[in-house]
Amino acid sequence: MDTNAKLLRVGALAAVAGIGLYFALTRGEAPAAQAKPADPDYFAFVPSMTGTRPDGDVRQTAADKLAVNAELAYLFDYYLAGLGEKPLEAIRAEISRELDRRLSAAPATEARRLLDAYLAYKRALVDVERGLPATQDLAQGARQRLEAMQRLRRAYFSDAEAEGLFSASDAYDLDAVARLEINADQRLNDTQRKERIAALDARLPQQVRDERDAPARVLKLEEAVAKARAQGQGDNEIYRMRAAALSPEAAARLADVDREEADWQRRIASYQAQRQQLAGASDPASLQKLRDTIFSADEQKRLGAYEQ
């Protein structure tokens, strides 16, 4: 399952520490330069998602039936996150192509029917949310919203479809609402509150606990890495530290992030030095030529923070 949607689910109601590092750690590999021509170029279509792979392990059964489960919803949401960069119809067409790549004809047709129902449900949900009663109680408002969502699904999905598509996200939401209610309950003292939170933690599946805690673990690891670098540890020692804590693959991806950041900082330093030399130049074209020499067009969008 791709990181983007995973973090949106885990972090919908709470800030997630270390989110940038976690993205780097778990993101899918970008297609290699030597990839076969048949391999799809997933995100020429949505530039902001370059470096990720489509979410959702969509599958079919041995009987050529679509497996209707949370993975299908993850795939839909992954592409729908591109709204704003591409219109809905373009995104729907890309989802359809992705379904055809992964599934045979009959399951792909069924998946497209569920996609249309999913989009209609999402549109109707906007009106339902507008009609919810106003409340200052965050926990009460969250529970009202969840219950309204569950009622609305009956108009678009069978019980089995709704269970497959939404049971996983409902489990996250119900846990989040329960935590809000515990924290808001003024009748509880600190000890009672901690006991109830601990009981919720104990009921979570191990995979859910791992996903929830992963960003904080990565942040703690990177704090240890920073200390190790300050003590003179080199890249090989840092790789071994990360590989032991995470995995060799994750350590390699984080090493790539380190190299990319080091290259970026080197080019920024060169740019700032040469820009200073051009400070008295009256020709704006000279500055733009310098930018074009060092940075790509997309990278130049980030330069404002370094030109103050």
Side-chain angles (χ1 to χ4, degrees):
M1 183 171 62
D2 188 88
T3 298
N4 294 31
K6 185 185 295 182
L7 282 179
L8 285 173
R9 289 188 294 277
V10 175
L13 295 176
V16 178
I19 191 168
L21 287 168
Y22 190 43
F23 277 178
L25 174 62
T26 56
R27 70 185 178 193
E29 297 291 345
Q34 65 270 25
K36 296 178 292 184
D39 289 348
D41 179 10
Y42 288 110
F43 290 111
F45 152 79
V46 182
S48 70
M49 294 182 185
T50 299
T52 67
R53 303 286 284 186
D55 197 12
D57 186 16
V58 178
R59 304 206 174 183
Q60 61 194 61
T61 69
D64 204 35
K65 300 289 186 183
L66 176 68
V68 181
N69 54 31
E71 298 297 331
L72 189 60
Y74 299 160
L75 177 67
F76 296 164
D77 286 339
Y78 185 76
Y79 280 98
L80 288 170
L83 279 170
E85 294 180 77
K86 288 289 183 178
L88 179 59
E89 281 309 307
I91 291 173
R92 186 192 179 284
E94 187 66 15
I95 296 174
S96 182
R97 284 190 287 270
E98 182 66 19
L99 293 171
D100 285 336
R101 283 192 284 262
R102 300 196 194 192
L103 303 169
S104 58
T109 297
E110 177 65 6
R112 277 190 285 274
R113 180 189 69 79
L114 287 172
L115 172 60
D116 289 338
Y118 194 80
L119 293 174
Y121 161 71
K122 290 289 189 180
R123 285 191 290 265
L125 186 58
V126 173
D127 291 332
V128 168
E129 290 177 329
R130 286 174 181 159
L132 290 175
T135 176
Q136 298 298 315
D137 187 327
L138 184 60
Q140 181 184 29
R143 185 169 292 280
Q144 287 174 345
R145 182 180 184 276
L146 178 57
E147 291 173 350
M149 290 166 59
Q150 292 171 329
R151 289 192 299 270
L152 181 64
R153 291 170 195 160
R154 299 170 192 157
Y156 297 92
F157 306 99
S158 68
D159 289 344
E161 291 166 351
E163 171 70 16
L165 290 169
F166 301 107
S167 60
S169 59
D170 280 357
Y172 280 105
D173 290 341
L174 285 167
D175 178 75
V177 171
R179 291 170 193 273
L180 286 172
E181 290 173 339
I182 290 170
N183 286 321
D185 192 342
Q186 299 300 314
R187 296 169 298 178
L188 302 176
N189 59 38
D190 287 345
T191 300
Q192 293 170 323
R193 189 170 286 110
K194 289 177 181 178
E195 288 173 349
R196 296 198 183 188
I197 292 293
L200 287 177
D201 289 341
R203 289 202 295 269
L204 287 175
Q206 186 60 46
Q207 180 181 356
V208 175
R209 290 201 296 272
D210 290 345
E211 291 177 359
R212 186 193 63 184
D213 296 340
R217 289 201 306 272
V218 174
L219 184 60
K220 184 175 181 180
L221 171 62
E222 290 308 294
E223 290 174 350
V225 165
K227 290 181 180 178
R229 288 196 188 281
Q231 294 168 359
Q233 299 292 315
D235 290 343
N236 289 337
E237 290 79 10
I238 297 302
Y239 173 85
R240 286 194 288 269
M241 179 187 298
R242 287 167 167 166
L246 302 168
S247 72
E249 295 79 12
R253 288 196 288 274
L254 287 171
D256 287 341
V257 172
D258 288 346
R259 285 189 288 271
E260 291 167 5
E261 177 63 18
D263 176 67
W264 172 257
Q265 293 300 333
R266 177 189 60 76
R267 288 187 289 138
I268 283 292
S270 175
Y271 170 70
Q272 289 177 324
Q274 295 181 64
R275 179 173 176 263
Q276 185 64 32
Q277 294 174 3
L278 293 174
S282 58
D283 182 10
S286 298
L287 182 57
Q288 186 57 50
K289 183 178 179 180
L290 175 62
R291 294 189 186 110
D292 292 339
T293 300
I294 301 177
F295 304 104
S296 69
D298 283 341
E299 288 174 334
Q300 290 181 37
K301 297 174 183 177
R302 302 165 56 188
L303 292 180
Y306 301 91
E307 295 181 332
Q308 303 300 323

